Amino acid sequence: MDNSNYKETEMYKEIMQEPESIIKTVDSIQKSLNVAGVALKKADFVFLVGNGTSYHAGRIMAQQLVLYGKPAMAVRASEFYCYASKWDRNVMAIMISQSGDNVDIIRATDMAISSGFNTMAVTNTIGSYIDRKCGISLITAAGEEKSLAATKSHIAQIAALYALSERAFKNESIDTIKNKLTLISSHIENILSTRENLNNLYSRLLSKVIFLGDGYLYSVAKEGALKFEETAGIPTEAYPLAEYLHGPIHILSSTHTVIIMGQQDTGAYKRVYDEISKITKNIISIGPNEKSDIKIPGESGPLSSLLYLPVIQLMANWKTVSSGMDPDHPERLKKIVK
């Protein structure tokens, strides 16, 4: 694939559809949101279950729930069997999957039901296995995703889970939630409208990419690492900021790229940036500060992830095409794992 054709991939086109996906998803889930919010609030413990990109959406939600005082844990669907058993408490398992039909989410759903857990589906596919089997469903409205790389469906998952948490624990009205997500959608539109500004940064994406971020941005870092691996096929790593100094920095090379996310005025950020800059000059900073290579609005909480993700997705698409590969149809991978 010619490098000049990076705008012709399905992945690129679907990234451009992300603002619309958020708005459509809010409209799609609003009728189910009240019932879902009540069920979530009643739970004593919450599992967020998914694979790959969906697992990363679950991580973001799990952090938000813990901050609201609700015990929660994100678990990969493929290892849910390590946790599924009879509990003497009210357990909710939220099954997250774009297709709702991959083999691991099907098995995890069956285990959750047989363990006596209450179940909820967050899926982009009406009539999928988890939509049919789970007690409650939140259907995202990202639309068909033709590229193997999940982009707009991931954004829609996070938007749906955010709406659920705000309805359950802050009792926010549907209109308030929609207004907040509409504003985020506008921010994403603005970010995507300045995408040409990324062109002078693409040359810094070298043979290996390390993603660094704290809190919600650590989940974004893990998603960025996955996206580059499954599309561009290059080695990646993902760590919380200061954790990178506890061993992994030992193998950092001048031929590696570090993408560092967050506020530049925190102690951890400055300390980590100073250390990695001694080894490589291929550093791309994303954040709200004026000196950031890629400046985004200073949103806090789980919604911040929605502003960083499109930038990383665009970089993954460009890197893949520039390497002569097709992000929509990577070898060895399938959209739905059977």
Side-chain angles (χ1 to χ4, degrees), residues 208-211 222 224-229 234-238:
K208 180 178 180 179
V209 182
I210 297 93
F211 295 85
K222 291 180 71 66
L226 173 64
K227 208 55 58 192
F228 270 71
E229 286 181 343
I234 61 175
T236 64
E237 296 179 45

Side-chain angles (χ1 to χ4, degrees), residues 258-325:
V258 177
I259 296 177
I260 183 168
M261 298 176 286
Q263 292 275 2
Q264 294 184 3
D265 51 5
T266 64
Y269 189 105
K270 292 178 180 178
R271 183 159 56 99
V272 174
Y273 192 97
D274 288 345
E275 291 300 317
I276 61 178
S277 62
K278 295 175 183 177
I279 303 170
T280 181
K281 301 305 178 186
N282 299 301
I283 304 172
I284 298 175
S285 60
I286 310 175
N289 303 83
E290 289 298 331
K291 293 183 179 180
S292 297
D293 293 311
I294 303 170
K295 188 175 184 301
I296 63 170
E299 183 66 46
S300 60
L303 293 182
S304 63
S305 62
L306 295 175
L307 303 180
Y308 286 79
L309 283 164
V311 173
I312 292 173
Q313 294 165 351
L314 286 170
M315 288 194 287
N317 178 70
W318 185 91
K319 180 62 176 177
T320 305
V321 175
S322 69
S323 300
M325 302 167 67

Side-chain angles (χ1 to χ4, degrees), residues 12 20 77 148-149 155 165 253 261 264 289 319:
Y12 181 89
E20 180 184 13
L148 180 134
I155 295 292
S165 69
S253 162
M261 298 176 286
Q264 294 184 3
N289 303 83
K319 180 62 176 177

